Amino acid sequence: AQSVTQPDIHITVSEGASLELRCNYSYGATPYLFWYVQSPGQGLQLLLKYFSGDTLVQGIKGFEAEFKRSPSSFNLRKPSVHWSDAAEYFCAVGAGTSGTYKYIFGTGTRLKVLA
Amino acid sequence: NAGVMQNPRHLVRRRGQEARLRCSPMKGHSHVYWYRQLPEEGLKFMVYLQKENIIDESGMPKERFSAEFPKEGPSILRIQQVVRGDSAAYFCASSPPPGANEQYFGPGTRLTVT
């Protein structure tokens, strides 16, 4: 069965420090992978996506992620965190018997940024 | 180009009442998806609709929940006889016709059942 695991529930980093948020996935075929960010009381904004091709994906706001098959991971990185990056981050995989529309989300990682 | 719109943003209902959540997809999008986010959890898929068709409702509870996407107007998620466990954030997403896999999410409706 398809699944997404985000091992870290909370992460705290200092402003200016580097960031890596972990995402492990389980999916039989080539997955469609996404990272979304959710600010308090807001909807989800797409940071980046992987469908195929280059395994290093660049997104908005200076984020990037690297697709790996073994072990299966799609970790999100940012070289220097800004205070405005404090939010909750969700990794998702597109799944479904007839397509990839049924997104499966991880439980999220809440990022706190120290000034 | 307006994004996905949902209303109301906040909805309070007493136990036993009905909740109606509306979603207007992005212009040009004909596919709508509903997800539910319980407190401290990730989003869970509920249903996938195209105009006048339910494509996949495998994530919908068997009772009290229904969804529609009529030919004209917004998609509606309807919850009858709400219970406290229905309190959650309900997100709608939309995507263009087949071939695109990226879903665009609305701001969500936060339902509180008292």
Side-chain angles (χ1 to χ4, degrees):
Chain A
Q2 300 92 350
S3 66
V4 175
T5 303
Q6 293 181 247
D8 306 304
I9 299 174
H10 297 277
I11 282 188
T12 300
V13 299
S14 298
E15 191 171 20
S18 63
L19 172 70
E20 182 169 31
L21 302 181
R22 295 185 291 165
C23 172
N24 301 314
Y25 67 90
S26 173
Y27 189 69
T30 300
Y32 287 24
L33 293 159
F34 308 87
W35 273 100
Y36 284 87
V37 60
Q38 184 181 30
S39 298
Q42 302 298 313
L44 279 73
Q45 181 182 21
L46 179 68
L47 287 175
L48 48 78
K49 61 189 178 188
Y50 173 78
F51 289 170
S52 63
D54 193 346
T55 56
L56 186 62
V57 180
Q58 301 297 322
I60 62 171
K61 303 185 180 185
F63 286 94
E64 66 176 26
E66 186 172 12
F67 168 69
K68 292 184 178 179
R69 283 194 180 276
S70 181
S72 304
S73 68
F74 189 56
N75 295 345
L76 182 71
R77 300 193 293 250
K78 186 169 184 178
S80 177
V81 170
H82 188 262
W83 64 266
S84 60
D85 293 325
E88 188 150 26
Y89 292 79
F90 291 96
C91 180
V93 62
T97 55
S98 301
T100 56
Y101 57 82
K102 188 185 297 186
Y103 285 16
I104 296 172
F105 282 84
T107 50
T109 297
R110 193 175 299 274
L111 174 65
K112 183 177 179 180
V113 179
L114 301 176
Chain B
N1 187 12
V4 178
M5 299 175 66
Q6 291 187 249
N7 66 83
R9 294 291 305 276
H10 299 273
L11 182 61
V12 179
R13 284 288 178 266
R14 291 184 177 152
R15 279 179 297 171
Q17 290 185 320
E18 178 179 288
R20 279 181 174 251
L21 288 62
R22 295 174 184 78
C23 169
S24 296
M26 286 181 69
K27 187 176 181 180
H29 288 192
S30 54
H31 299 235
V32 166
Y33 316 81
W34 286 93
Y35 292 80
R36 177 165 66 175
Q37 184 182 30
L38 295 171
E40 306 301 321
E41 293 188 13
L43 281 72
K44 297 285 197 297
F45 170 84
M46 299 180 75
V47 62
Y48 164 32
L49 309 106
Q50 295 177 21
K51 288 281 187 182
E52 300 184 282
N53 282 303
I54 297 174
I55 307 302
D56 182 346
E57 57 181 348
S58 58
M60 290 276 272
K62 298 299 181 199
E63 298 177 347
R64 301 187 297 107
F65 284 72
S66 62
E68 63 176 8
F69 189 17
K71 187 177 180 181
E72 300 291 336
S75 174
I76 306 286
L77 180 67
R78 182 182 178 207
I79 311 172
Q80 295 179 290
Q81 299 175 320
V82 296
V83 300
R84 288 226 172 104
D86 296 331
S87 295
Y90 292 83
F91 289 93
C92 169
S94 71
S95 70
N101 290 283
E102 184 174 321
Q103 296 176 19
Y104 296 81
F105 283 80
T109 294
R110 279 153 183 82
L111 172 66
T112 302
V113 179
T114 61

